[in-house]
Amino acid sequence: MNETAQAQASELIKQTRARVTAARVNILAVLLTAQRPLSHQDVLATLDPDADRVTVYRVLDWLTDMALAHKLAGDDRVWRFSVASKPHQHAHFQCTRCGRFYCLEHVSTDLSLTVPAQFLIDAVEITVKGVCASCLK
């Protein structure tokens, strides 16, 4: 596991004033080094083979609750997780063939939205769908 990512993960968790555990550090480090949002299965495949799948679910949910990660719902109803930028201001690309998600860091998400009176926007998610480079080969 990448020591730099583990040190960064540990520091981010300390900033929440929550307990720093090996599972939290390892899972956040996986997300920090990932090039794309990862499913629970992707995270499990990257960790030690003995990692407990329920612990991974719980840590991913905790990271989301603590705003250290965000999750995206795919058309396949599988959640994907990635490190949360503050604020999370980028779009995503989902491949319609393989289901993988990719962060689109340089796509503007500045939208002028109008909602009815008494409504409050919490988040806006932009997902572009198409075929990724790997699937086009």
Side-chain angles (χ1 to χ4, degrees):
M1 178 94 34
N2 182 324
E3 288 181 30
T4 303
Q6 286 194 310
Q8 185 181 2
S10 181
E11 186 56 37
L12 288 168
I13 294 167
K14 283 179 190 173
Q15 290 174 11
T16 68
R17 300 182 192 264
R19 207 162 42 98
V20 178
T21 66
R24 289 175 178 176
V25 170
N26 291 336
I27 293 167
L28 184 54
V30 166
L31 296 181
L32 285 166
T33 58
Q35 299 299 311
R36 61 183 174 82
L38 302 176
S39 69
H40 172 262
Q41 285 301 109
D42 295 331
V43 173
L44 271 172
T46 306
L47 295 171
D48 181 321
D50 295 328
D52 180 65
R53 65 180 181 80
V54 174
T55 299
V56 174
Y57 274 122
R58 288 181 180 152
V59 170
L60 288 169
D61 282 340
W62 181 84
L63 291 170
T64 302
D65 291 344
M66 299 306 291
L68 294 174
H70 64 266
K71 61 184 180 178
L72 307 159
D75 290 339
D76 57 2
R77 298 182 183 169
V78 173
W79 289 107
R80 267 80 173 187
F81 299 83
S82 63
V83 173
S85 53
K86 294 189 180 188
H88 180 72
Q89 295 181 336
H90 66 263
H92 296 93
F93 181 93
Q94 181 184 15
C95 180
T96 56
R97 289 191 187 163
C98 68
R100 284 185 164 181
F101 274 84
Y102 300 87
C103 292
L104 301 175
E105 300 288 346
H106 303 292
V107 173
S108 174
T109 57
D110 294 333
L111 300 173
S112 177
L113 300 174
T114 304
V115 295
Q118 307 301 316
F119 283 60
L120 175 64
I121 298 172
D122 285 327
V124 176
E125 295 181 7
I126 299 172
T127 302
V128 179
K129 296 181 182 184
V131 181
C132 71
S134 296
C135 290
L136 281 175
K137 292 180 183 176

